[in-house]
Amino acid sequence: MATLKALKARQVLDSRGRPTVEVEAIASTGAVGRAIVPSGASTGRHEALELRDTESPRYGGLGVLKAVAQVTDAIAPAVAGMDLDDQAGVDARLIALDGTPNKSRLGANAVLGVSLAVAHAAASARGEELFVQLNRLWRAATGSSGAAIEPVLPLPMVNMISGGLHAGGNLDIQDVLIVPVGAASYSEALEMTVALYRAVGAVLRHRGFEAALVGDEGGYGPRLRQEEQAFEIVVDAMIACGFEPRRDVAIAVDVAATHFYEAAQGTYRLMASGRELDSAGMIDLLAGWIEVYPIISLEDGLAEDDWDGWAALTARFGPSIQLIGDDLFATQVSRLHQGIDRRAGNAVLIKLNQVGTLTETFDALRLARDHGFRAVVSARSGETEDTTIADLAVATAAGQIKIGSVARSERLAKYNRLLRIEEALGPDAPLARPFAR
C-alpha cells in the first residue's frame, strides 16, 4: 500500500500571468503526483473561494503564498501517512480541516491542489494512466461496474468567438462555441474543430474584422455590434468547410447572463446591443436565436439566482436543447438539488475549483447522472498546462468537455492529452454520442 509521505507547494503562473498553486504529492514508494489549480474570471458568487495575498503589493495582491503556506503548514501534517488510494478519506480530512462551507479558511486553491496531486500520485504509484485511477475511484463512488461505467472520450465544445469577461466586453454574451456532433471519433472531432476555427478567421477577415484578436480562452474577439453577427459568422464558416449546420456541427452558447443582470431592477442589460429585458424578455431573445440558428446548447441563459426564470426557460426548451447551469449550480450538490427540485436546467457544468475536492466533484457528477442531467467537464479562463480535466471527463464518461479554443497551449495541452488517451484506449475508443442533432 502506497501512502502519502509529503506535500510540496509553490506559486506558479496561469495562462493570464496570474499566480496560482501547484502541489506535489510524494508517495512512500517515491512516486510523485503534481497538479496545478486553475482560476476563473467569470466566477459565480456560490463558488468555493480562492485564498490570495490581497494585502501584499506583489502581483497586485493576487499572489497565492498564503495558500501555499496552508498546504505545507496546515494540510501536510494532517494527511501525512494516509493511504493514497483512499481519495475519499483524504478529501474528507481536507474538508474537515477547512471547516467552512466554501473553503474560505484554507482556500479552495490549496485544498484542490492537494486533492488532485494525491490522485496523480496514486496513479503514478500504481504505474497507471490517471484516467484509469480516476475511473476506479468513480466506480467506487457510484457503486457501478461493467460496460456502463467504462471510460468514454468526451465530445468537445469549443470556443469560436468570445465576448463578455473573456474578451473585454465586445459582446455581452461570453462565448459562441461549436460542437462537432457529426464526428465519428475524437480525432475526427478535433480535426473538424481546427478546420472550423480557421474558417471563422477567414470569414472575419472577409467581413473586415480583425481576426488576430483572441480572448482568454483562445476564441476570436472581434468588435461586433450584436450577438447575431457572431452566430452568422460561425454558420458561414460551417458552410465554407462543407459542414451541414446542426447535422455535422452545431452551436453552443455561453450566455453568462449573471454578468449583465441588474439584480436591483430584475433586468438583463445587454450593453452592446442596447437591450434591457426582464426574465420573460430574455427568454424570448434566446428563443429567437434558437429558432434561427443551429443552437443545441445554452449555458447560463439566465442569472445564477433567477430560479423562476430558469424554471420557465426549462419548461419551454428543456425537452429540445441542453440548458447548462454553471453559475447556477457552481458544481455544488446543494445547488444542483435545488435545480432538480425546481426543474431548472437539464445539464451541469463541472468545474473542479468551484467545489474544491475530487470527491465533491464526483458527488455532483453522480447526482447529475442519477437525475438525468447531462454533464460538461470544464476548464477555466485562467488555465495551465495541467491536463487533469481531460482524464476526469474520460474516466467518468461525462460525455462532454469544454476546454477553450484550439489556439493556446494551455488549451491544446488538454486536447492533446485526449489524443493520447484515445490511442491508449485502442482503435475502437468510444466517443460520446451527440446529445442532440
Side-chain angles (χ1 to χ4, degrees), residues 30-325:
V32 177
R34 180 181 297 115
I36 311 178
V37 180
S39 180
S42 57
T43 54
R45 70 187 186 92
H46 301 291
E47 295 189 23
L49 297 180
E50 298 175 325
L51 188 61
R52 292 195 179 268
D53 308 334
T54 54
E55 298 173 358
S56 170
R58 299 186 66 203
Y59 287 108
L62 294 175
V64 292
L65 294 181
K66 287 181 181 178
V68 167
Q70 293 285 20
V71 173
T72 56
D73 299 342
I75 297 175
V79 297
M82 293 191 72
D83 182 354
L84 280 177
D85 281 330
D86 185 14
Q87 184 75 45
V90 171
D91 289 345
R93 188 161 297 182
L94 292 171
I95 293 166
L97 187 65
D98 177 83
T100 70
N102 58 1
K103 310 295 189 298
S104 58
R105 177 173 173 261
L106 298 176
N109 42 358
V111 171
L112 181 61
V114 173
S115 180
L116 297 184
V118 165
H120 278 269
S124 180
R126 284 177 172 268
E128 292 179 337
E129 297 274 14
L130 179 62
F131 76 87
V132 176
Q133 171 71 6
L134 294 182
N135 182 251
R136 180 183 296 107
L137 296 173
W138 175 239
R139 288 170 185 266
T142 59
S144 302
S145 62
I149 202 67
E150 290 296 321
V152 176
L153 287 157
L155 195 64
M157 182 182 290
V158 187
N159 298 44
M160 291 289 126
I161 294 178
S162 293
L165 296 181
H166 287 176
N170 55 314
L171 292 173
D172 291 293
I173 65 170
Q174 192 148 278
D175 291 301
V176 178
L177 312 96
I178 62 93
V179 186
V181 293
S185 67
Y186 170 72
S187 295
E188 183 182 6
L190 191 57
E191 184 178 351
M192 292 169 69
T193 297
V194 171
L196 261 169
Y197 186 77
R198 291 173 177 167
V200 168
V203 172
L204 285 169
R205 287 187 289 271
H206 179 73
R207 294 193 176 197
F209 294 105
E210 177 58 68
L213 298 174
V214 298
D216 283 347
E217 297 185 359
Y220 295 107
R223 289 287 169 184
L224 304 178
R225 293 187 304 278
Q226 56 188 18
E227 282 71 22
E228 290 82 354
Q229 283 182 291
F231 303 142
E232 290 165 5
I233 288 165
V234 172
V235 170
D236 285 352
M238 292 180 193
I239 295 168
C241 289
F243 299 138
E244 183 178 325
R246 195 177 294 275
R247 187 196 70 182
D248 298 323
V249 183
I251 290 176
V253 183
D254 181 357
V255 182
T258 296
H259 302 289
F260 52 83
Y261 181 63
E262 301 286 345
Q265 291 77 36
T267 58
Y268 295 87
R269 182 173 297 175
L270 290 85
M271 302 299 292
S273 56
R275 290 177 277 210
E276 187 166 347
L277 308 166
D278 60 12
S279 294
M282 188 66 200
I283 293 171
D284 286 340
L285 176 64
L286 298 173
W289 294 347
I290 293 166
E291 182 179 347
V292 175
Y293 305 103
I295 296 170
I296 61 170
S297 179
L298 289 175
E299 178 184 331
D300 280 353
L302 295 169
E304 61 192 354
D305 289 315
D306 187 0
W307 287 105
D308 291 341
W310 267 97
L313 177 68
T314 307
R316 186 165 176 179
F317 296 112
S320 57
I321 71 169
Q322 181 169 258
L323 300 171
I324 308 170

